[in-house]
């Protein structure tokens, strides 16, 4: 760190192409005669995107962290409404003399002493105990560092960068011409609406960045790994129970369900950045469709749904579930509610009063996989997202042949109930992109 840091200009942020595509209105339901006359028809599809990748373990320190047996003070902080505690001295704190190379290196060496082993150990324990994905862990460390050193302080930036780096993540630190320090993280995800730096052909995203360039310390660390924006587990936060949300299905087999949510988890989901992976914009929705509902919501919702589908065939059960998703929520375009495209995690679709096609496709996919154990794919049409289910029985309606398997079109977004197999007439001649995940 004591050598001269190199100057890099930042690249402009990547736009979400969906904001430039006119969304398709919610399809209007057909009359009953059209539904009765559904016949199997195989439709053509476009390219198949395989967004599935074998999940890797989260990064770990290159060497195990040896705890310091000496007595130490504890520091309490909050993140996403959750009280957390780490072993950290709360007395006199290290202060940077400046943001220059030598001074940052001195603080880094200070944090590298054995006295901070317990802090790093406790941070990694928090990651495990709270099911923190990489994005959640990054922001937990931000909350810790800022509540210890103060918001917008260079010391907090160095502390967060050090803890994330020593936890095994690929980070860099940069300094602006106004001597403000910034943490930078590498990610395989293309994150929307965030400026980025290309350093040795790798992409780094600076946090809380409002500059045109930085002097960057570009040293590589052994074993460092990129931040992933995948979300295989639901984070565990302290519970701040919301008011009950009543969901009423208007389909024939009507459902009325009261659900309560953890507002802290909803805040976390709202903070999640939109991105795609593998340089393929079609993978944008897979993170939402593959993220499970929390155990709390499952315990409230699934017993009711299971009681309704008990004894039914998979197709009958799917029709009940799709009727719930189609009619229990009010349809509204993201650009009207949020001012831009804003996909929901499945739990958010249940939480918010408004939703659109991508939100319902993600929720319905979750319900089909969890309650029926069937495979699903997403179907991308310009301005619209639907999905398809691989049933193990004969189904009438529109289908696709994918990898020698038959997938039935499902339209979770409709003005009223329509069964699986029905496809809006304006889409039957359009070849959708198939997104496997």
């Amino acid at each position: 760190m004591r050598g001269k840091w190199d100057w890099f200009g930042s690249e402009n942020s990547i736009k979400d192409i969906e904001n430039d595509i006119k969304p398709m209105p919610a399809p209007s339901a057909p009359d009953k005669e059209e539904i009765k006359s559904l016949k199997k028809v195989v439709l053509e599809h476009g390219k198949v995107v395989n967004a599935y990748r074998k999940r890797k373990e989260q990064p770990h320190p290159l060497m195990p962290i040896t705890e310091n047996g000496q007595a130490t003070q504890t520091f309490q902080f909050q993140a996403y409404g959750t009280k957390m505690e780490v072993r950290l001295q709360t007395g006199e704190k290290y202060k940077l003399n400046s943001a220059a190379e030598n001074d940052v290196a001195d603080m880094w060496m200070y944090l590298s002493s054995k006295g901070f082993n317990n802090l790093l150990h406790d941070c990694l324990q928090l990651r495990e105990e709270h099911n923190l994905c990489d994005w959640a862990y990054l922001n937990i460390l931000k909350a810790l560092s800022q509540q210890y050193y103060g918001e917008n302080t260079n010391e907090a930036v160095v502390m967060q960068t050090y803890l994330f780096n020593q936890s095994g993540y690929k980070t860099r630190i940069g300094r602006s011409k106004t001597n403000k320090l910034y943490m930078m993280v590498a990610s395989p995800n293309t994150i929307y609406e965030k400026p980025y730096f290309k350093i040795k052909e790798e992409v780094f995203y600076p946090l809380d960045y409002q500059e045109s360039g930085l002097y960057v310390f570009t040293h590589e660390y052994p074993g460092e790994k990129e931040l992933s924006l995948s979300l295989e587990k639901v984070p565990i936060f302290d519970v701040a129970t919301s008011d009950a949300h009543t969901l009423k299905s208007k389909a024939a087999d009507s459902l009325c369900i009261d659900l309560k949510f953890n507002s802290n988890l909803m805040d976390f989901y709202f903070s999640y950045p939109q991105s795609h992976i593998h340089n393929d914009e079609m993978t944008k929705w897979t993170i939402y469709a593959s993220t499970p509902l929390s155990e709390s919501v499952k315990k409230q919702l699934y017993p009711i749904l299971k009681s309704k589908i008990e004894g039914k065939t998979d197709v009958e059960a799917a029709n009940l579930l799709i009727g719930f998703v189609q009619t229990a929520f009010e349809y509204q375009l993201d650009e009207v509610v949020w001012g831009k495209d804003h996909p929901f995690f499945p739990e958010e679709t249940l939480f918010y009063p408004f939703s659109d096609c991508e939100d319902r496709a993600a929720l319905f996919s979750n319900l089909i996989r969890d309650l029926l154990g069937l495979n699903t794919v997403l179907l991308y049409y310009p301005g619209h997202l639907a999905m398809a289910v691989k049933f193990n029985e004969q189904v009438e309606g529109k289908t696709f042949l994918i990898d020698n398997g038959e997938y039935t079109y499902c339209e979770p977004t409709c003005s009223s109930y329509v069964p699986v197999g029905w496809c809006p007439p304006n889409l039957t001649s359009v070849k959708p992109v198939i997104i496997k995940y």
Side-chain angles (χ1 to χ4, degrees), residues 332-340:
Q332 190 57 271
L333 295 173
D334 285 342
E335 62 183 18
V336 175
V337 180
W338 307 105
K340 60 181 179 180

Side-chain angles (χ1 to χ4, degrees), residues 12-81:
N12 292 330
S13 58
I14 302 295
K15 287 182 61 178
D16 178 2
I17 61 170
E18 287 305 301
N19 289 318
D20 295 327
I21 297 176
K22 186 177 180 180
M24 188 182 97
S28 297
D31 59 34
K32 293 181 180 179
E33 290 304 313
E34 182 179 342
I35 292 176
K36 285 181 181 179
S37 62
L38 279 178
K39 299 296 181 184
K40 178 176 287 190
V41 177
V42 177
L43 302 177
E44 295 185 16
H45 62 77
K47 70 174 182 178
V48 177
V49 174
N50 189 352
Y52 174 78
R53 293 291 186 275
K54 186 177 180 181
R55 292 179 174 89
K56 299 179 180 179
E57 282 190 1
Q58 287 182 289
H60 291 283
L62 191 62
M63 298 292 290
I65 304 301
T66 303
E67 293 182 80
N68 186 345
Q70 296 179 351
T72 184
Q73 293 177 297
T74 60
F75 178 73
Q76 295 182 340
F77 67 102
Q78 279 203 355
Y80 297 112

